[in-house]
Amino acid sequence: MTQPTRRDLMRGLVGAGGLLLLPVCRLHKPAEPVLEGPIGAWPRERQETLAAAADRILPGATAAGALHYMSYWLAQPFWTFASHEFEIGALLLQREARQRRRLGFASLGGADQDEVLSVMRRGDLTSARFDSAGFYKRLVTLTVESYLADPKYGGNKDGVGWQLVGAHSCWWAPKKLDRLWPVVGAGDVL
Amino acid sequence: MRLAQAGARVVVLERGPYYTLRDFTHDEVAICRRDFFVPSVDTDPHTVRKDGGASATRTSEGWIGVNVGGGTVHMSGFTYRLHEEDFTLKSRTGGLAGADLADWPIAYADFARYYDLTEALLGVSGAAGINPFESRSRPYPMPPMRAHPAAALVDEAARGLGYHPFPTPRAVVSRAYGSRPPCTYCGFCGDYGCENGSKSSVLSTFIPRAIATGRCEIRAEARVVRIVVDDAAPNRVRGVEYVDASGISHVLEARIVVLAASAIESARLLLLSTSTHHPHGLGNGSGLVGRNLTFSTFGKATASFSRAALRERLGEADMDLPFLQRSVQDDYWMPRSGLALGKGGTYNFILHHPNPINATMRMIMESDWELAGEALSERMRRYFHDELWMEVEIFGEFLPTARTYIDLDDHVRDAQGLPVARISVQQHPADVEVSRVMTQRSVDMLSAIQPAADKVWKYAEGGTTFHLQHGTCRFGRDPSHSVLNPSCRAHELDNLYVTDGSFMPTSGGVPATPTIIANSLRVADILRQRFVRGEIAG
């Protein structure tokens, strides 16, 4: 039997290390989908501001994929006009937060975040190139859409929004309904 | 369809896409919030100025359904006939200051059979003999749609106040009809295409029959930009010029041209089609093309009920059915009401549309955008799980006046470089007055329901429903007071017909869909006679 080479030793170590590493890998969550589109290119702090604003508007929105949803739609023709506006809006929320508390918007307490959003909603941050109240409405609109839209657009993760809607609403395709109503009975209200 | 059945060759040019049932999903964002049925406001806007305002703003209002089958593809299918008094409003009332009323140049008695034919060919469900304010001699082709159990509560409340509720007639099949399956009651008629084929749209009914003749061709994504008239023969149209999906221009010659692009867009096309002998627009010797535009006067009341309270009264069964299915026409015509002109309309009892994003946004907007955070989550939970919203939407008369019309916008052009339609709208005060009365009565009816609603409120009154549009090429006997003759043929042109809502001199107090289809069948009969007589060689 030949002496084990350094290479053999290295392989052995790696093998042992691999066995040790494997259970650690299994404990990690599956990776979040990469945030693509316009918001994906923003600095992290600006993304976090938008995420915090969305969560203040509708709790759980970010976990449900609000940023993915918004980033997708801000790149489509219908909403491209708002892509720049959303970045300015996030910047202004940041600036307002720093002026009040010297903290980033995402680090503010909930009541302070609400106050900053109210300022935006009332139109107080309007300038020649920015419509503060209009931005607030569009932010709310995309946040609500993200929670309740088809998950294929990046939001409503695992159908969390549709669980809120509940089983008695018939918004899903009729093929999934297990009821049909073709027969009219004697006492039916017609 | 009728002409192809008679042996003529027919080409249908449609600006929009040719959707099939497979294209119809319940994706609220794609279908309702992203221009699925109407063009983009960036490439194909209208402009609108309201209440005498000077400048017109870009809007997508006034588009109906830009697709093969038009608005019938995404309608809810509320299918009411006009009443006799709609045909003779001017002579019955003597007119009204500020309104350009005109009688229809045909008799209601002659028109009624086309309503019968429309109901049979489309497939309309309803119950005859219950609404005392409509006159009809035939039953509906099939029974009415199933109603939510709360309809019994509406009946009780409305009758208690002296009204006569009746099951809402629908262009939706309640039974298997021909090859089409019955409705599955998903509740997504309004604003969506019906993937089941149960909604009786033109796309699901007339189009397949026309194609089956082998003599009808549908050319979709073909945008007509001009109706062509030769200077040497100014009393005839030669054909149309259209642009296809690749942007290539074609001229299609035809012996007859029938225009049905909606009251706004048909008038716009005529105004754009100027020529030496038609300098003010094709067929516009009267100056009335685009004038006397009417819409429908909108009002709505909403009531929020506790589902638990309703279940206590009604039980558990069928509480997920989506349609309330009740209408009231006691106020269709109120000649002794003391109002300036008591021309009212129809109360239509509905449940709130199932669209979850729309329902949530409505609650936020009604709070002036303040509803947010945990309060919003909680409000959504209560709305979707604990509440049932009933609504009364009103289809009210919209009187023709000099202040509501379309013309060509000098400043805004579409993607083809053509001036867009500019909508000017200012309602006659009589319409607003009637709408206030009807909206209050809607509140009263909802408030009379037992168990009592948690809240009843006015959502809108005196508004304008832009996608119900008529009047811009009104028909009549006198060429100086109408654009079309009683056959809906342009007075000045031997072979140009207009068969959308443009022909209607007055709007009536109902959505005009079955009236437009009935009139199209009437005009089709006239054209068939011309064809059979050899005036139109195939």
Side-chain angles (χ1 to χ4, degrees):
Chain A
M1 188 171 91
T2 54
Q3 284 282 331
T5 63
R6 268 176 66 186
R7 198 174 286 171
D8 294 331
L9 282 168
M10 287 301 294
R11 276 200 214 113
L13 274 169
V14 166
L19 281 168
L20 282 169
L21 281 167
L22 202 53
V24 174
C25 284
R26 281 201 185 124
L27 287 172
H28 283 181
K29 297 183 301 188
E32 288 290 311
V34 171
L35 182 57
E36 292 171 355
I39 299 177
W42 292 5
R44 178 172 277 285
E45 204 190 359
R46 220 166 290 166
Q47 293 176 351
E48 285 170 354
T49 298
L50 189 66
D55 280 338
R56 213 59 215 157
I57 288 163
L58 183 53
T62 297
L67 256 54
H68 292 269
Y69 181 91
M70 290 190 204
S71 201
Y72 172 82
W73 280 109
L74 288 175
Q76 306 307 312
F78 194 91
W79 276 98
T80 5
F81 78 95
S83 186
H84 189 56
E85 176 191 69
F86 268 56
E87 193 163 15
I88 304 285
L91 273 165
L92 287 173
L93 290 171
Q94 269 295 70
R95 190 188 72 181
E96 198 61 23
R98 291 209 183 283
Q99 280 175 357
R100 281 164 185 267
R101 295 275 187 237
R102 296 208 192 129
L103 288 171
F105 182 87
S107 306
L108 290 182
D112 284 326
Q113 288 177 332
D114 286 346
E115 185 48 42
V116 171
L117 285 167
S118 301
V119 167
M120 185 67 79
R121 186 185 75 242
R122 288 193 302 259
D124 293 348
L125 299 180
T126 292
S127 66
R129 285 166 187 252
F130 181 76
D131 172 10
S132 166
F135 163 68
Y136 181 80
K137 288 176 180 165
R138 288 183 270 280
L139 173 62
V140 169
T141 301
L142 285 183
T143 302
V144 170
E145 281 191 4
S146 75
Y147 203 72
L148 295 168
D150 191 311
K152 72 184 181 190
Y153 298 118
N156 192 6
K157 190 170 179 212
D158 300 324
V160 60
W162 289 347
Q163 286 160 36
L164 186 58
V165 169
H168 62 253
S169 291
C170 303
W171 50 265
W172 54 82
K175 294 176 198 56
K176 292 182 192 169
L177 282 176
D178 55 9
R179 298 170 300 191
L180 292 175
W181 311 90
V183 177
V184 177
D188 285 351
V189 176
L190 285 177
Chain B
M1 177 196 78
R2 301 294 257 180
L3 283 170
Q5 286 171 341
R9 276 178 48 238
V10 179
V11 175
V12 176
L13 296 168
E14 163 56 51
R15 168 203 284 248
Y18 190 174
Y19 291 127
T20 63
L21 299 194
R22 278 197 206 92
D23 294 310
F24 299 146
T25 66
H26 290 185
D27 180 337
E28 184 180 358
V29 170
I31 306 279
C32 300
R33 303 177 73 87
R34 297 292 188 270
D35 295 336
F36 190 82
F37 286 116
V38 299
S40 161
V41 73
D42 295 321
T43 55
D44 285 287
H46 291 142
T47 55
V48 66
R49 50 183 188 179
K50 298 183 190 178
D51 302 321
S55 65
T57 53
R58 282 175 169 251
T59 180
S60 33
E61 297 271 38
W63 291 108
I64 307 178
V66 183
N67 46 269
V68 175
T72 65
V73 173
H74 64 69
M75 65 178 180
S76 297
F78 304 120
T79 305
Y80 314 90
R81 302 184 179 198
L82 287 173
H83 293 192
E84 271 200 74
E85 56 265 28
D86 289 310
F87 277 45
T88 50
L89 197 55
K90 181 166 187 185
S91 49
R92 280 172 195 261
T93 62
L96 178 72
D100 294 325
L101 295 182
D103 286 352
W104 290 44
I106 56 176
Y108 190 86
D110 297 332
F111 193 76
R113 62 196 164 95
Y114 288 105
Y115 276 131
D116 293 336
L117 190 58
T118 295
E119 289 174 6
L121 288 174
L122 279 182
V124 174
S125 55
I130 302 180
N131 177 13
F133 302 97
E134 98 179 316
S135 59
R136 55 184 296 129
S137 53
R138 305 258 295 262
Y140 283 88
M142 67 199 104
M145 300 286 285
R146 293 193 69 175
H148 190 283
L153 309 181
V154 171
D155 286 341
E156 181 185 77
R159 286 180 192 142
L161 291 171
Y163 295 101
H164 299 80
F166 60 95
T168 304
R170 303 286 303 280
V172 179
V173 296
S174 57
R175 295 279 181 276
Y177 197 75
S179 59
R180 291 191 287 135
C183 177
T184 59
Y185 293 82
C186 74
F188 276 72
C189 319
D191 296 335
Y192 289 85
C194 175
E195 66 270 40
N196 212 45
S198 303
K199 179 159 58 172
S200 303
S201 67
V202 166
L203 182 67
S204 287
T205 54
F206 290 95
I207 296 287
R209 289 192 190 108
I211 290 171
T213 63
R215 280 182 294 276
C216 178
E217 179 196 342
I218 313 287
R219 284 186 206 174
E221 298 189 75
R223 172 197 294 243
V224 175
V225 294
R226 183 177 187 77
I227 303 178
V228 179
V229 171
D230 290 335
D231 287 347
N235 299 327
R236 294 186 57 76
V237 301
R238 176 153 68 86
V240 301
E241 180 187 343
Y242 72 92
V243 178
D244 68 21
S246 314
I248 298 169
S249 211
H250 306 263
V251 172
L252 180 65
E253 297 196 346
R255 289 179 168 84
I256 297 273
V257 170
V258 179
L259 183 52
S262 82
I264 289 175
E265 286 293 314
S266 287
R268 176 189 175 222
L269 187 60
L270 292 175
L271 292 173
L272 287 171
S273 302
T274 53
S275 59
T276 312
H277 296 277
H278 300 276
H280 305 294
L282 192 58
N284 197 20
S286 63
L288 292 179
V289 171
R291 315 299 300 195
N292 298 306
L293 170 62
T294 60
F295 295 107
S296 182
T297 301
F298 178 67
K300 183 180 264 197
T302 307
S304 161
F305 291 86
S306 148
R307 281 187 182 266
L310 290 174
R311 277 197 300 270
E312 244 188 77
R313 177 115 198 248
L314 298 168
E316 300 279 346
D318 298 343
M319 294 296 274
D320 292 346
L321 278 170
F323 307 128
L324 205 42
Q325 280 294 117
R326 284 298 181 266
S327 296
V328 168
Q329 287 189 324
D330 292 66
D331 291 338
Y332 194 84
W333 171 226
M334 306 179 268
R336 287 172 293 281
S337 60
L339 294 164
L341 187 81
K343 190 69 174 63
T346 305
Y347 301 99
N348 179 22
F349 286 76
I350 55 176
L351 297 179
H352 202 223
H353 194 289
N355 269 347
I357 297 169
N358 180 269
T360 305
M361 289 309 301
R362 178 174 161 176
M363 290 190 287
I364 292 171
M365 287 191 276
E366 286 188 41
S367 79
D368 272 327
W369 298 85
E370 287 185 16
L371 187 57
E374 286 296 340
L376 174 58
S377 301
E378 184 46 38
R379 187 74 198 86
M380 288 165 74
R381 244 172 253 124
R382 280 205 326 271
Y383 170 83
F384 286 114
H385 291 271
D386 301 336
E387 295 173 11
L388 184 72
W389 284 20
M390 294 189 215
E391 306 203 286
V392 181
E393 68 171 359
I394 296 163
F395 299 110
E397 187 83 26
F398 190 111
L399 296 171
T401 71
R403 294 202 178 91
T404 301
Y405 59 93
I406 70 114
D407 59 8
L408 299 176
D409 197 301
D410 299 322
H411 305 292
V412 180
R413 290 172 180 260
D414 67 9
Q416 306 294 318
L418 297 172
V420 306
R422 178 175 64 173
I423 306 166
S424 298
V425 56
Q426 194 168 349
Q427 277 159 295
H428 195 290
D431 290 340
V432 180
E433 187 188 24
V434 169
S435 186
R436 286 204 185 108
V437 169
M438 290 186 74
T439 308
Q440 182 56 51
R441 291 180 184 177
S442 302
V443 167
D444 296 341
M445 281 191 269
L446 290 170
S447 299
I449 292 174
Q450 291 297 328
D454 292 333
K455 193 178 163 201
V456 183
W457 68 101
K458 276 187 204 180
Y459 176 72
E461 62 186 7
T464 303
T465 304
F466 282 91
H467 59 261
L468 299 175
Q469 51 187 248
H470 348 76
T472 51
C473 301
R474 58 167 45 172
F475 75 157
R477 291 208 174 77
D478 181 352
S480 61
H481 287 100
S482 55
V483 174
L484 307 173
N485 72 9
S487 300
C488 288
R489 201 206 79 204
H491 282 296
E492 300 158 43
L493 292 136
D494 184 56
N495 60 345
L496 176 65
Y497 292 77
V498 185
T499 58
D500 52 35
S502 309
F503 81 95
M504 297 168 58
T506 50
S507 70
V510 291
T513 316
T515 302
I516 291 169
I517 294 173
N519 182 64
S520 301
L521 290 167
R522 182 186 71 94
V523 173
D525 270 359
I526 292 166
L527 288 172
R528 262 153 71 108
Q529 284 166 34
R530 290 190 73 180
F531 176 69
V532 159
R533 284 197 302 262
E535 290 176 32
I536 318 166

